[in-house]
Amino acid sequence: MTRNHTIRRRVLQSAEASVTMLSLGCVTQDWRVLRGGQPVPVVLGFSDPEAYRGNPHYIGAIAGRVANRISGSGFDLGGQRWRLEANEPPNHLHGGPAGLSHRNWQMEPDGARAVRMRVTSEHGEGGYPGRLDVEVTVTLSGAQLCYEMVARSDRPTPVNLAQHSYYSLGAPSVRDLRLTVPAAHVTPCGPAMLPIGEIRPVQGTPLDFRNGRRIDLADPQGQGIDLNYVLSGDEPVTLRGNGMRLELRSDQPCLQLYTGHKLSPGAAPSGGLVHTPFAGLCLEPQGYPDAVNRPEFPSPLATPEEPYRQRLTVTIAPEAVG
């Protein structure tokens, strides 16, 4: 299969913000929001698009076919065992080395403030069954960025996409930011960050973000948080600080919170935001992790009759005063 290796770039512009998209990994490379007439960089990224060819932290990318971890790098489906690439041995993470985050997508402008990306993952690629045609349309409307995702398969296959931007709001550390997550439960993990199959309440724990909590108060030892929340209700996820406010809405059942505590400096960053630990955090709407091996969780299967779909909107604007 012939693939185009040229990385294409598209800038979306509104009166309130500008967003730079890359074809490689469907990456959101740069996002700047006007505050007092000055552009504030609000996500982490690399200044050179070529730096995303490695991207071990999946910065700004669409992770998949299946985001998060698959235990044992495999699953049973259709009467056979499907063995995936173990890029986090012995487990499989974010679609593996042949995942969507490492593919160069087709890019088509869709008017002045939108771009449509497409990529095909053939049957057997990365070990997955079925041909999967993925399309993501990214639209900037004022201060809001919308990701519309659809993945169509020719046979039953697991799909769980996650947009993997690291949000900073321009602050030097996300530990100073205040996070609100409308979730009464989490799926706790055991060894290797794999869910143990339980859904536990957060009430009475430091990880209860329902009423808003600073990251440093939820994680006083600075060990970091990497946990899947089960969303409830229609209230948005919010992140506030540095004079900025983020509001995230999704139609997915879960949200992975990762505070970026394993980040390390690498290639030259965009916006001067060096990728040190806690420089940015991920808010990743997703399905239940390792659901393909957890019958107690909702099925992650897409079929020809029922394609995978996700709608994600993220609004970032200066915090209202008064």
Side-chain angles (χ1 to χ4, degrees):
M1 177 171 47
T2 301
R3 293 177 178 171
N4 188 342
H5 295 288
T6 301
I7 301 174
R8 293 167 298 282
R9 180 175 175 269
R10 177 75 174 172
V11 178
L12 311 179
Q13 192 85 38
S14 72
E16 294 89 354
S18 67
V19 174
T20 303
M21 300 296 302
L22 299 178
S23 59
L24 182 61
C26 196
V27 158
T28 303
Q29 179 191 18
D30 190 74
W31 186 347
R32 307 207 182 197
V33 175
L34 286 180
R35 183 183 64 193
Q38 298 298 315
V40 177
V42 295
V43 297
L44 302 186
F46 301 119
S47 58
D48 182 1
E50 291 292 327
Y52 289 93
R53 294 203 187 274
N55 200 11
H57 299 292
Y58 302 88
I59 292 171
I62 296 294
R65 292 186 184 193
V66 175
N68 218 306
R69 293 164 178 85
I70 292 180
S71 59
S73 297
F75 56 90
D76 296 320
L77 181 63
Q80 70 178 91
R81 183 72 176 172
W82 297 92
R83 301 192 181 280
L84 309 177
E85 295 171 279
N87 59 322
E88 193 181 76
N91 305 310
H92 176 83
L93 175 65
H94 286 333
L100 304 182
S101 58
H102 293 88
R103 292 285 307 279
N104 202 18
W105 298 43
Q106 297 176 16
M107 173 184 278
E108 301 172 5
D110 185 9
R113 296 181 181 174
V115 64
R116 184 176 294 111
M117 311 264 213
R118 294 188 178 96
V119 70
T120 294
S121 179
E122 298 290 354
H123 171 65
E125 190 168 287
Y128 286 96
R131 172 189 169 110
L132 191 71
D133 295 310
V134 185
E135 179 177 298
V136 177
T137 301
V138 184
T139 306
L140 178 65
S141 302
Q144 182 183 92
L145 196 61
C146 177
Y147 301 84
E148 293 271 8
M149 311 181 199
V150 59
R152 296 179 173 88
S153 61
D154 64 357
R155 70 191 75 188
T157 190
V159 182
N160 179 27
L161 306 184
Q163 205 289 322
H164 209 281
S165 283
Y166 285 75
Y167 301 103
S168 69
L169 304 189
S173 172
V174 298
R175 287 179 58 76
D176 299 327
L177 303 182
R178 182 177 180 86
L179 176 66
T180 303
V181 180
H185 296 85
V186 296
T187 55
C189 292
M193 295 302 300
L194 293 169
I196 60 176
E198 297 181 11
I199 299 176
R200 291 181 184 172
V202 294
Q203 185 171 356
T205 75
L207 299 174
D208 186 351
F209 286 97
R210 287 176 294 175
N211 295 318
R213 178 169 288 179
R214 276 177 46 132
I215 298 294
D216 59 351
L217 297 180
D219 176 35
Q221 303 303 317
Q223 296 179 341
I225 302 169
D226 194 357
L227 185 61
N228 177 62
Y229 284 76
V230 181
L231 297 173
S232 54
D234 297 323
E235 293 299 311
V237 175
T238 64
L239 185 66
R240 304 169 63 180
N242 195 40
M244 307 292 287
R245 175 186 171 92
L246 176 153
E247 182 176 293
L248 181 151
R249 294 180 182 273
S250 166
D251 56 8
Q252 297 300 288
C254 298
L255 178 93
Q256 186 80 18
L257 167 62
Y258 170 54
T259 55
H261 44 281
K262 296 181 181 179
L263 284 169
S264 58
S270 62
L273 300 175
V274 181
H275 301 174
T276 52
F278 298 104
L281 62 78
C282 296
L283 301 168
E284 307 163 50
Q286 61 175 358
Y288 283 75
D290 200 25
V292 74
N293 289 315
R294 288 286 178 183
E296 61 268 41
F297 289 165
S299 171
L301 295 183
T303 67
E305 298 75 27
E306 294 188 15
Y308 172 92
R309 297 183 186 275
Q310 180 184 156
R311 177 180 170 85
L312 164 65
T313 63
V314 185
T315 304
I316 305 179
E319 184 82 81
V321 178

